[in-house]
Amino acid sequence: MVNKHYVAGYDAFVAFMKDFNDNGSPVNVLFTGAKMENGESWCSDCVEAAPFIENAVASSAPKESHFIYVDVGDRPTWKDMNNPFRKDKNTHLSVIPTLIRWKNPQRLEGEQLTKTELLELFFSEED
């Protein structure tokens, strides 16, 4: 079973990753907009991609892998060009949603996350 983790905000993300022990398993990180009171993200692209991502995690992600959901904040926080997620050399985000393989080059962004075949390929690639 894929190990799922949830983190909100940059400082919490940095602290989580600093202490995180992946036991040698693949670590996939999804950056998405914060959820509103209705349970959906303010980011319409994130909402559109969510079912594709969930299906791919369930069907294609290695069973011993980790999947970390990271809330990058509300819309004004994300739109700030000085947002630390944009500046961090490990994340270097320019759009959300973005899915990365931690400390590896694999990356899907925006509408790529609505393409089942790209998601399957992402999860099947070895580090």
Side-chain angles (χ1 to χ4, degrees):
M1 181 163 101
V2 174
N3 298 291
K4 295 181 180 179
H5 313 273
Y6 300 86
V7 182
Y10 182 77
D11 292 338
F13 171 70
V14 170
F16 180 86
M17 295 310 287
K18 179 178 175 258
D19 297 330
F20 185 65
N21 181 359
D22 61 21
N23 293 318
S25 298
V27 177
N28 301 298
V29 186
L30 174 66
F31 298 93
T32 185
K35 291 192 177 2
M36 300 181 297
E37 288 181 14
N38 68 2
E40 288 190 346
S41 173
W42 59 264
C43 167
S44 60
D45 292 339
C46 299
V47 172
E48 182 182 355
F52 294 96
I53 296 165
E54 290 302 320
N55 286 339
V57 169
S59 66
S60 302
K63 299 302 178 212
E64 72 285 352
S65 66
H66 295 273
F67 195 88
I68 305 169
Y69 295 86
V70 181
D71 165 346
V72 301
D74 61 13
R75 191 173 198 283
T77 301
W78 169 247
K79 292 293 184 182
D80 180 350
M81 288 297 122
N82 291 315
N83 181 306
F85 284 109
R86 294 178 184 275
K87 306 270 185 192
D88 187 307
K89 66 179 175 46
N90 291 313
T91 59
H92 198 68
L93 300 182
S94 59
V95 300
I96 54 172
T98 293
L99 177 62
I100 66 171
R101 177 81 42 84
W102 189 245
K103 303 285 186 175
N104 285 278
Q106 292 96 323
R107 180 183 203 96
L108 293 175
E109 298 177 326
E111 70 180 33
Q112 292 176 326
L113 290 163
T114 62
K115 310 285 188 228
T116 302
E117 61 280 357
L118 290 178
L119 284 160
E120 288 173 356
L121 182 61
F122 177 91
F123 286 116
S124 69
E125 287 180 333
E126 296 291 324
D127 288 342

